[in-house]
């Protein structure tokens, strides 16, 4: 199982970016997949997850309504569409996957993910 995040960059506030997470060794729909970020000087934060098979999605309050998580088995990839970006979205973004984790509204932010990709830097200027 391998994941590789890409698509980060430098954008201005209000602009959009789409992050991609290329997967190998599994079908994306068979794993729960999450996007996480770590801003400078801060702890890692769960941004969004999509559950295996049922495609239930959860978002942190800070990105709800602006970010959309998705995946495509045919392309072996997951995505994080980020709209209306803000300077506070600046962080290194990571994708992660796990075949067994059970995600609920109560636990998704702290759930354990087994497999992680390397990060991609997103910088939003004001």
């Amino acid at each position: 199982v391998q994941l590789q995040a890409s698509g980060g960059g430098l954008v201005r506030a209000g602009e959009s970016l789409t992050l991609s997470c290329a997967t190998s060794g599994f079908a994306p729909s068979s794993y729960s997949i999450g996007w996480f970020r770590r801003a400078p000087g801060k702890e890692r934060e769960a941004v969004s997850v999509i559950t295996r098979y049922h495609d239930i999605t959860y978002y942190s309050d800070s990105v709800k309504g602006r970010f959309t998580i998705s995946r495509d088995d045919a392309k072996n990839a997951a995505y994080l569409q980020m709209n209306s970006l803000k300077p506070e979205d600046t962080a290194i973004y990571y994708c992660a996957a796990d075949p067994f984790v059970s995600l609920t509204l109560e636990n998704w932010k702290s759930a354990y993910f087994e497999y992680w990709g390397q990060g991609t830097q997103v910088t939003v200027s004001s």
Side-chain angles (χ1 to χ4, degrees), residues 7 12 22 45 53 62 64 79 84 86 88 97 102-103 106 122 124 126:
R12 295 180 177 180
E45 172 192 16
Y53 300 124
S62 61
K64 196 175 298 182
Y79 306 96
S84 302
K86 304 175 180 180
E88 51 264 43
S102 179
L103 300 173
E106 291 73 28
V122 173
V124 184
S126 57

Side-chain angles (χ1 to χ4, degrees), residues 36 44-47 49 58-62 103-113:
F36 301 79
R44 189 179 67 200
E45 172 192 16
V47 175
V49 299
Y58 299 110
Y59 297 91
S60 67
D61 288 343
S62 61
L103 300 173
T104 66
L105 182 60
E106 291 73 28
N107 77 358
W108 74 272
K109 292 182 181 180
S110 59
Y112 173 80
F113 281 76

